[in-house]
Amino acid sequence: IQAYKFGSTAPTAGQAAMQLRVTAITAPANDLCTGAPALALNQPMSGTTAGAANDYQVDAGCFSGVGNTTSLAPGREVVYGFTPSASGNYSFRARTSTDNVTLYLSNTCSTGTAPVQVATCRAAVDRNFSASEELSCVALTGGANVLAYVDARTLATVSAFELEVNACTPEVEPNESTATAGPRSCPVTGGIVPAGDVDFYSLGTPATGSRVFAMADGHAGSSTDFDMRVTTATDTLEYDDESAD
């Protein structure tokens, strides 16, 4: 370990002393699926893969949907559990601003010699290099626990993140015109598939003078270039390009 002063001038009096500290990083309690803490609905939980090992890998066949980079996710990972109180669709999101993570779900806690191939994989996603990853509208059974793995694409990567699970109301196709507009929900989850797809949602018949406040959260998509419109059946009342509100 070499410590040095930036620049060519000598340090001023009293500025040449230094102190060096070495601290061992211990593995997080949820490095293995047997120590997975419980996620609560709509409550983000902060986490990190610092100190974790490459205990698990995911089968490339578990990835589905567009824009994914499929891999075994051979990096460090930590594990969380979630037990829905009722059967329905749920979305899992890992938010990170600087690091690349892979997110996947399993029904069982796999054991064996590391790295263990995760069995009964439900879904996996890795669309972004430095943004959120989201498993959208996964059908779960009430009372049945699932495990969520936040994994890294490489062993050298250490990620700090926030993990959250929410109930999901998926869009219903066809909804690509004002005539086929789907019902609104707060929120509703849609997808731009295939590229260039358009989704309409009905606001009903608001009272005269009403104002619309609308936002699209596309941070976990493979593209965040969304256009939004508030329309009647014949006219655009307001248009927004890319700022998503």
Side-chain angles (χ1 to χ4, degrees):
I1 299 175
Q2 181 185 34
Y4 62 95
K5 178 181 181 297
F6 182 79
S8 58
T9 59
T12 57
Q15 298 298 312
M18 64 169 293
Q19 191 176 59
L20 182 66
R21 176 177 178 178
V22 178
T23 303
I25 299 176
T26 57
N30 59 339
D31 184 30
L32 298 174
C33 55
T34 50
L39 292 166
L41 192 68
N42 302 325
Q43 295 184 20
M45 183 176 288
S46 297
T48 178
T49 58
N54 177 29
D55 300 301
Y56 306 100
Q57 293 184 354
V58 61
D59 189 282
C62 190
F63 293 86
S64 62
V66 298
N68 274 306
T69 298
T70 59
S71 73
L72 297 177
R76 309 171 191 274
E77 72 287 303
V78 285
V79 192
Y80 298 83
F82 176 67
T83 304
S85 59
S87 298
N89 297 312
Y90 295 86
S91 294
F92 295 76
R93 174 182 291 186
R95 301 182 184 92
T96 176
S97 60
T98 58
D99 303 306
N100 178 55
V101 297
T102 300
L103 181 62
Y104 50 95
L105 298 182
S106 174
N107 289 338
T108 58
C109 181
S110 303
T111 59
T113 302
V116 179
Q117 188 81 17
V118 171
T120 63
C121 180
R122 294 291 304 274
V125 64
D126 186 352
R127 290 192 175 95
N128 300 299
F129 284 95
S130 59
S132 300
E133 297 292 352
E134 182 174 352
L135 292 167
S136 179
C137 294
V138 180
L140 300 180
T141 302
N145 186 64
V146 292
L147 296 168
Y149 295 74
V150 182
D151 208 332
R153 192 182 291 178
T154 65
L155 193 61
T157 302
V158 174
S159 300
F161 59 86
E162 211 175 52
L163 184 63
E164 184 176 3
V165 56
N166 310 106
C168 172
T169 301
E171 66 167 312
V172 178
E173 294 283 2
N175 62 352
E176 64 276 356
S177 69
T178 56
T180 59
R184 65 184 174 90
S185 177
C186 186
V188 63
T189 300
I192 306 303
V193 181
D197 178 42
V198 177
D199 296 327
F200 279 86
Y201 301 94
S202 175
L203 300 179
T205 307
T208 300
S210 297
R211 296 178 63 85
V212 174
F213 298 87
M215 180 182 73
D217 181 0
H219 197 229
S222 53
S223 170
T224 57
D225 185 7
F226 291 97
D227 293 350
M228 297 179 65
R229 299 176 187 270
V230 178
T231 81
T232 65
T234 58
D235 194 15
T236 295
L237 305 181
E238 186 170 346
Y239 170 74
D240 174 86
D241 177 24
E242 199 170 10
S243 64
D245 62 12

